[in-house]
C-alpha cells in the first residue's frame, strides 16, 4: 500500500495534487467571502478575527491553523507535509484571490460565486485528501479528540467543534447566512463524490512466492 504522509509513492502526482487542491481551497474560500452570503464555520471564525484585529482573513486562517496544530501535541497526532502546507498555502491563496475578485456584485452574481465556491471547495477537498500527505490541522484535531475518547461519535465531535467556532465567529462579526447552511448540506456529498475520484491508487506489492518444505529439501 502507499505509505501515508510520505513521498515514496508517486511523488510528482501527489505533490501536484496536494498544492493544486490547497490553492483551489483558498480560491473557494475567497469566492464565498465575496458572495457575502455566508461562510463555512471555520471561515466565519477567521473572518470574525479579521474584522476584530484588522489582519487579513488569510493571515487569520494561518494563525488559527498554527494554534490548532499545537493542540495536536497533547493529542499525539503526527502532522504530514500536507498538514503544514495546509496551514500556509490556503491562507496565502485566499488573500490573493480576495484581492483579485470584485466586491459589491449584484445578487445573481453573488449567488453564482457562492455555488461555485462550494463546488470548488468539494473538489479541493478531494484533491488534497486524495494526495494522502496528511490531513488538515482542523481535521486532525477532530480525529485526535475522537481517538482520545474511544467510542466517541466522529459526527458528534465534529459538529461540536464547528458549532463552537461558528458561534465564536458570528459573535466576532463573521458572516453566517444561507451560504453557511448550503455549505453544511453540500460539502459532505461533494467530498464523498470527489475524494474517490482523486485518491492516488496504492502501490501494489507483488505476491511473495510460497516456498514449500519439499522445495527446501
Amino acid at each position: 500500500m502507499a505509505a501515508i504522509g510520505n513521498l515514496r509513492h508517486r511523488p510528482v502526482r501527489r505533490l501536484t495534487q496536494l498544492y493544486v487542491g490547497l490553492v483551489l481551497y483558498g480560491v473557494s474560500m475567497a469566492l464565498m467571502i465575496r458572495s457575502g452570503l455566508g461562510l463555512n464555520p471555520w471561515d466565519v471564525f477567521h473572518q470574525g478575527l479579521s474584522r476584530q484585529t484588522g489582519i487579513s482573513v488569510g493571515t487569520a486562517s494561518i494563525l488559527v491553523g498554527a494554534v490548532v496544530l499545537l493542540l495536536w501535541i497533547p493529542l499525539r497526532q503526527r502532522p504530514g507535509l500536507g498538514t503544514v502546507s495546509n496551514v500556509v498555502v490556503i491562507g496565502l491563496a485566499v488573500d490573493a484571490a480576495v484581492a483579485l475578485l470584485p466586491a459589491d456584485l449584484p445578487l445573481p452574481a453573488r449567488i453564482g460565486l457562492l455555488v461555485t465556491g462550494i463546488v470548488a471547495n468539494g473538489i479541493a477537498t478531494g484533491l488534497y485528501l486524495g494526495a494522502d500527505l496528511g490531513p488538515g490541522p482542523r481535521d486532525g484535531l477532530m480525529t485526535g479528540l475522537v481517538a482520545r475518547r474511544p467510542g466517541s461519535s466522529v459526527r458528534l465531535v465534529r459538529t461540536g467543534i464547528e458549532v463552537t467556532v461558528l458561534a465564536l465567529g458570528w459573535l466576532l462579526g463573521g458572516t453566517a447566512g444561507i451560504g453557511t447552511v448550503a455549505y453544511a448540506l453540500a460539502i459532505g456529498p461533494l467530498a464523498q463524490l470527489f475524494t474517490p475520484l482523486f485518491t492516488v491508487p496504492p502501490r501494489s506489492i507483488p505476491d511473495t512466492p510460497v516456498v514449500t518444505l519439499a522445495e527446501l529439501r
Side-chain angles (χ1 to χ4, degrees), residues 64-118:
V64 170
V67 170
V68 171
L69 197 53
L70 290 176
L71 296 177
W72 281 34
I73 297 173
L75 296 175
R76 298 180 181 178
Q77 296 284 90
R78 289 187 177 182
L81 175 63
T83 309
V84 178
S85 298
N86 183 294
V87 173
V88 178
V89 175
I90 291 177
L92 296 176
V94 66
D95 280 350
V98 166
L100 294 173
L101 290 169
D104 301 322
L105 293 170
L107 182 59
R110 291 163 57 202
I111 293 173
L113 289 180
L114 174 65
V115 173
T116 303
I118 292 173

Side-chain angles (χ1 to χ4, degrees), residues 182-193:
Y183 181 91
L185 294 174
I187 192 59
L190 287 171
Q192 187 173 7
L193 171 65

